[in-house]
Amino acid sequence: MTTSTPETAITGLTRQEVETRRQAGQVNVTKLPSSRSLASIIRANVLTLFNAILSVAMVIVIVFGSWQDAVFGGIMIINAIIGIFSEVRAKRTLDNLAIVDAPRAQVRRDGLTEQIDVDDIVLDDIIELSLGDQIAADGEILEVSGLEIDESMLTGESRPVLKQIGDRVLAGTSVVAGSGLMHVQAVGADLYAQGIARHARTFSLATSEIQQGINKILRVISVALPPIILLTLWSQTRIAGDGVPHAWQHALVLAVASVVGMIPQGLVLLTSMNFAIGSATLARRGALVQELPAVEVLARVDALCLDKTGTLTTGGIRLRSLEVLETHDFDGELFTALRVLNDDETNATAHAVKEYLDSDSSFPLEHCADSWTIPFSSARKWAAWGTAESSIVMGAPEMLIDGIAELEGLRQKVRLYAEEGLRVLVVVRYGERIQDQTLPEHPMPLALLVLEEDLRDDARETLAYFRRQGVRVRIISGDSPTTVAALAAQVGLQSPDGNAPQAFDARQLPSDPTSPEFLSIVESTDVFGRVTPEQKRALVKALQTQKHCVAMTGDGVNDALALKDADLGIAMGNGAAATKAVSQLVLVDQKFSVLPSVLGEGRRIMANMERVSSLFLAKTTYATLFVILSAIFAWRYPFLPRHFTYVDTLTIGIPAFFIALGPNNRRYVPGFLVRTLSLAIPSGIVLGVSALAVYSSVGDGTALGSTAAALTVLIAGLWLLSITARPLVPWRIALICTMAAGGVLGVFIPVARHFFAFEWPSASLWLVIVCAGLCAGAVIEAFSRVLYLGRLREAEEEGRARD
């Protein structure tokens, strides 16, 4: 039956009224990008502390020194280009995925119906709604004819909502049954979905432990820069003497050299390159990385929150069995009713039943000229077909057979099916016609429809992978916790003790998400059912409160805020634009099985970056030591910026690049920075002391002294490289030997020797250099065995005990 408001209220706006609203800006133009803006990407990669320090240093060197000494500025430029290029590529790919789901709308204006672009809708328009339409504005229902709206993208509720006159409807929802009229009450930026999106799109980047560690070091360096620059200027100017022309300019270049030496610029570049290569690898597998640090974040995740649909199940529904309960004379009516009530291709359940019936032509049918139907409603949870003498009803068991003592056996059978993860519909018959949509008493059960959802083929293997990796998976769903837990158990989800997953009805959660009871339930539960969007955020926050690194998947607008709050938001490629905009990772093909690849890539990057970070931070240590000892002993600063470039390239830059890209299956172990510094600081001190000892003995302030110091650092640095490269497989041994040969050639070849301001050492000096370098390497070896490897073993044991 159709109901409506008076005709005067539904003729629509006049042309003049539409124009007036357009001029007032009351149009439905929205800006809801599916990805980060180009400006935000450029800001994130250019406006950094690292770039600020190097930019100032590069300008000083170019103005007061030699351009050869400004080569280090190229690292800054390359680093920014890599970051911008990688993230812009991801942005373009994601923007191409953003399909406009509701490009047109049917509106009434001047009493006539016309089709317009959704951007042309104005405030107070009257929109006609029909099956399959996506609603493009917020408003109020004026007329309904069995109108049902799917609000899952906003509320998370998977069942359609039956609408009545006066009910509110929201943009982003869709019509799945019936038709109606709506009065537009909010457009553009005032839409409910836009409010969620604005809140969710507050800019924030994924947090990288590697980048956090580097930034901590940069902050310390930035605080130390002024006194170090002043100390270097004072000491180098004093050493040169007042009679030396432009002594202060040379001292300024040396001060910049000290600053450049202290900054782990190669580590910053290598981190960006590693993230970029990792994101490109994942893109080929269907995982789109919007922010480069996200590649690393999943390596640290120990709590992964998943929705049932798209992870455990494909979203498809299949009728597993149709159980006729007794032999009786109503089979013809039964199968006729099932065909009529399930003749709806837009409803997944109806489609599954119809497909089952169509597969067997033996089901009896009856032709009834005076039949009638009552369509399915999610509010009453049943549908009916019948004749003047009888009614056959199909619906949820709790609506049709609950409270009837003689049907307890049937209810028990339904409960057993639910515990297997199956959904059951009951078909009953009444010996009279339904009046006013009120069910009569004394139903006669005719059949059970047992439905099952299609489980993903890769779900079991994927969940097993995460379990082996120490990642606890929790399922967060709007469906029944019993059914979801049963499905989860079928694909191998377990509680940490190896038993069946623990389920909880989110409707029973305490109202205070910070209470000890709430936190305890979240920590001990594997499956949450009947979860609201607000509770999703609360669950994420509760896990983070207990020091977990949380990743969450989602696809609807209702998931956007929870995805933003998570340490890593993972959106589905077919999800809402706002969801993809706030996520760091997008699964383009909705393939849950891609996540292990992402985890593996992140852990490879983390483990390899820990290998090579000690190289960069050891250089920061000895460069700082150069400044302090040169000032104390009144030595000229031993290195020009180009000397650092030479040593860094051979002992750190080139080899670190290859080592960082190599395979590594080590699980993530917390404490990256502490372990790295435990090797880097002692190694840097040993490198600095040995280099300065050789420098002072050969000749302070001479090119030969600088050459000897650089070669000493080169030899000891290659030893440190061999420590971080272990196990020394053939390709790594070849890499170290190639770098050693390059170090000799850099001094032997005249052009290179002139460019780097070196001199060729004598045979006796070569002996001193080699002995000093090897002795320093041996001391570094001892420190690595006692400090670094010991800390790593302890951290790995703690991780295994925690799992």
Side-chain angles (χ1 to χ4, degrees):
M1 183 177 68
T2 300
T3 58
S4 67
T5 56
E7 183 67 23
T8 54
I10 56 175
T11 56
L13 299 174
T14 65
R15 301 296 171 185
Q16 182 59 44
E17 289 172 333
V18 170
E19 186 59 32
T20 300
R21 284 162 175 73
R22 284 176 179 165
Q23 293 177 359
Q26 297 172 332
V27 293
N28 201 40
V29 176
T30 60
K31 294 181 179 180
L32 189 59
S34 61
S35 59
R36 294 169 59 200
S37 68
L38 179 60
S40 70
I41 291 174
I42 293 175
R43 282 196 305 270
N45 287 280
V46 173
L47 303 180
T48 65
L49 179 60
F50 169 76
N51 288 349
I53 295 173
L54 285 192
S55 295
V56 173
M58 186 172 66
V59 170
I60 292 174
V61 168
I62 292 175
V63 173
F64 297 104
S66 172
W67 67 268
Q68 292 99 321
D69 289 322
V71 174
F72 62 85
I75 294 178
M76 171 189 65
I77 297 171
I78 294 171
N79 181 62
I81 290 174
I82 289 173
I84 292 171
F85 175 79
S86 299
E87 294 184 21
V88 167
R89 182 181 60 183
K91 169 184 168 58
R92 287 177 177 171
T93 303
L94 192 57
D95 287 345
N96 290 336
L97 292 175
I99 301 172
V100 180
D101 296 318
R104 308 284 284 175
Q106 298 280 349
V107 299
R108 286 189 184 179
R109 290 175 178 173
D110 286 327
L112 301 175
T113 299
E114 59 182 281
Q115 190 177 69
I116 63 172
D117 291 336
V118 294
D119 286 353
D120 292 333
I121 295 172
V122 300
L123 192 67
D124 295 321
D125 254 330
I126 303 299
I127 300 180
E128 294 184 357
L129 303 176
S130 57
L131 182 65
D133 287 350
Q134 180 174 329
I135 298 173
D138 296 351
E140 179 184 344
I141 294 298
L142 301 179
E143 177 182 299
V144 293
S145 178
L147 179 66
E148 294 192 22
I149 304 295
D150 178 2
E151 297 181 343
S152 59
M153 288 297 257
L154 293 179
T155 67
E157 173 58 52
S158 59
R159 295 182 179 275
V161 178
L162 182 67
K163 293 295 183 180
Q164 304 294 339
I165 292 175
D167 287 351
R168 190 184 183 203
V169 290
L170 301 172
T173 60
S174 55
V175 179
V176 294
S179 61
L181 288 180
M182 66 170 284
H183 169 219
V184 175
Q185 296 178 325
V187 292
D190 295 328
L191 298 178
Y192 172 78
Q194 284 283 3
I196 295 178
R198 279 196 303 273
H199 187 89
R201 289 204 308 270
T202 304
F203 183 67
S204 63
L205 281 172
T207 303
S208 160
E209 185 177 352
I210 296 174
Q211 291 184 331
Q212 277 187 328
I214 295 172
N215 288 335
K216 286 180 182 178
I217 294 169
L218 289 177
R219 284 194 292 270
V220 172
I221 292 174
S222 65
V223 172
L225 283 183
I228 286 177
I229 291 175
L230 291 175
L231 178 62
T232 306
L233 276 172
W234 171 77
S235 64
Q236 299 306 307
T237 304
R238 181 170 59 87
I239 292 168
D242 296 335
V244 178
H246 306 296
W248 69 271
Q249 293 185 9
H250 183 67
L252 185 60
V253 173
L254 292 177
V256 170
S258 67
V259 169
V260 172
M262 291 169 57
I263 299 173
Q265 50 188 317
L267 180 58
V268 177
L269 175 60
L270 185 60
T271 301
S272 295
M273 291 182 67
N274 222 341
F275 285 164
I277 293 171
S279 68
T281 301
L282 294 174
R284 290 193 293 270
R285 299 173 184 170
L288 190 64
V289 179
Q290 293 208 82
E291 300 171 11
L292 294 186
V295 178
E296 177 225 307
V297 176
L298 190 54
R300 296 188 282 109
V301 165
D302 61 355
L304 178 59
C305 299
L306 305 172
D307 192 9
K308 172 177 67 69
T309 304
T311 54
L312 303 184
T313 65
T314 63
I317 299 176
R318 181 173 57 258
L319 183 62
R320 173 171 165 175
S321 63
L322 194 164
E323 298 184 16
V324 179
L325 298 176
E326 296 180 13
T327 302
H328 42 62
D329 298 329
F330 307 120
D331 285 355
E333 291 184 12
L334 168 64
F335 291 107
T336 299
L338 289 176
R339 286 189 178 278
V340 173
L341 296 178
N342 292 284
D343 189 21
D344 182 1
E345 291 293 330
T346 65
N347 184 285
T349 300
H351 179 74
V353 176
K354 184 175 184 294
E355 187 176 54
Y356 183 91
L357 296 174
D358 289 345
S359 66
D360 190 340
S361 59
S362 65
F363 294 126
L365 295 174
E366 287 188 3
H367 177 71
C368 301
D370 59 346
S371 64
W372 50 267
T373 60
I374 299 176
F376 180 82
S377 164
S378 58
R380 58 176 178 264
K381 298 184 179 179
W382 55 263
W385 172 93
T387 63
E389 295 81 20
S390 65
S391 306
I392 292 182
V393 182
M394 177 187 73
E398 60 267 26
M399 305 304 294
L400 302 182
I401 62 174
D402 266 9
I404 303 175
E406 58 267 27
L407 297 181
E408 176 57 31
L410 184 59
R411 285 198 297 274
Q412 179 62 25
K413 188 173 185 178
V414 170
R415 282 194 291 269
L416 290 175
Y417 277 129
E419 291 173 0
E420 295 179 30
L422 301 170
R423 182 179 163 211
V424 180
L425 295 177
V426 177
V427 184
V428 300
R429 182 181 186 277
Y430 298 95
E432 59 184 284
R433 179 168 179 166
I434 296 174
Q435 302 293 332
D436 298 325
Q437 298 190 10
T438 301
L439 294 177
E441 297 180 353
H442 311 301
M444 174 190 293
L446 299 183
L448 294 181
L449 302 177
V450 183
L451 297 135
E452 61 182 349
E453 295 188 70
D454 294 327
L455 296 174
R456 294 189 67 95
D457 295 335
D458 53 14
R460 178 176 291 275
E461 181 182 350
T462 304
L463 291 177
Y465 174 85
F466 283 120
R467 186 167 58 252
R468 291 193 302 269
Q469 295 296 319
V471 179
R472 185 172 178 184
V473 175
R474 290 174 174 83
I475 307 299
I476 299 178
S477 175
D479 293 336
S480 163
T482 302
T483 301
V484 178
L487 288 172
Q490 289 178 31
V491 294
L493 183 67
Q494 300 175 358
S495 60
D497 58 9
N499 293 323
Q502 298 297 310
F504 192 87
D505 191 324
R507 293 174 295 185
Q508 306 303 318
L509 281 170
S511 57
D512 182 6
T514 62
S515 66
E517 183 184 0
F518 189 100
L519 298 178
S520 175
I521 292 171
V522 171
E523 185 67 26
S524 61
T525 302
D526 304 289
V527 175
F528 290 93
R530 307 302 185 195
V531 181
T532 67
E534 292 75 17
Q535 286 176 324
K536 289 184 180 181
R537 296 188 72 189
L539 292 173
V540 169
K541 289 290 187 183
L543 289 169
Q544 291 172 328
T545 299
Q546 298 178 89
K547 307 301 181 184
H548 291 293
C549 184
V550 184
M552 181 174 178
T553 64
D555 56 6
V557 174
N558 62 296
D559 296 325
L561 296 179
L563 289 172
K564 179 178 172 57
D565 289 342
D567 297 285
L568 183 69
I570 305 172
M572 299 299 174
N574 62 349
T579 304
K580 290 183 284 189
V582 301
S583 300
Q584 291 84 30
L585 195 69
V586 179
L587 303 184
V588 178
D589 299 321
Q590 293 76 243
K591 290 183 179 178
F592 174 51
S593 57
V594 172
L595 287 182
S597 298
V598 180
L599 180 66
E601 190 68 17
R603 291 189 169 178
R604 180 194 67 78
I605 290 173
M606 283 292 293
N608 283 340
M609 288 305 297
E610 184 172 326
R611 282 180 181 272
V612 301
S613 293
S614 297
L615 302 174
F616 293 97
L617 299 181
K619 187 204 77 168
T620 298
T621 302
Y622 72 69
T624 305
L625 196 64
F626 284 172
V627 175
I628 297 172
L629 294 183
S630 295
I632 292 174
F633 293 104
W635 293 333
R636 286 193 177 277
Y637 191 79
F639 284 177
L640 292 170
R642 69 189 81 170
H643 295 152
F644 278 116
T645 301
Y646 167 80
V647 174
D648 292 353
T649 300
L650 296 173
T651 62
I652 306 173
I654 294 175
F657 175 81
F658 288 101
I659 292 174
L661 295 180
N664 197 322
N665 297 320
R666 195 190 83 188
R667 289 176 58 178
Y668 167 72
V669 182
F672 157 80
L673 184 60
V674 174
R675 286 193 306 276
T676 299
L677 293 177
S678 71
L679 177 60
I681 292 178
S683 300
I685 293 173
V686 172
L687 287 166
V689 170
S690 59
L692 287 174
V694 172
Y695 175 68
S696 61
S697 64
V698 173
D700 165 31
T702 64
L704 192 59
S706 295
T707 302
L711 292 174
T712 300
V713 173
L714 177 69
I715 294 170
L718 290 174
W719 192 313
L720 176 59
L721 172 64
S722 72
I723 294 173
T724 61
R726 294 171 190 173
L728 292 176
V729 294
W731 72 267
R732 289 175 180 160
I733 295 174
L735 177 65
I736 295 171
C737 292
T738 301
M739 295 301 101
V744 174
L745 291 175
V747 182
F748 179 77
I749 299 174
V751 175
R753 186 167 64 241
H754 174 73
F755 180 87
F756 288 108
F758 285 147
E759 290 186 6
W760 180 257
S762 63
S764 59
L765 184 54
W766 268 114
L767 180 62
V768 171
I769 292 170
V770 171
C771 288
L774 293 178
C775 288
V779 175
I780 291 172
E781 177 75 31
F783 275 121
S784 72
R785 292 179 181 273
V786 174
L787 298 176
Y788 175 73
L789 295 178
R791 286 181 180 272
L792 181 58
R793 282 193 296 269
E794 290 176 4
E796 289 176 338
E797 289 173 2
E798 289 178 5
R800 284 192 291 268
R802 185 174 58 253
D803 294 342

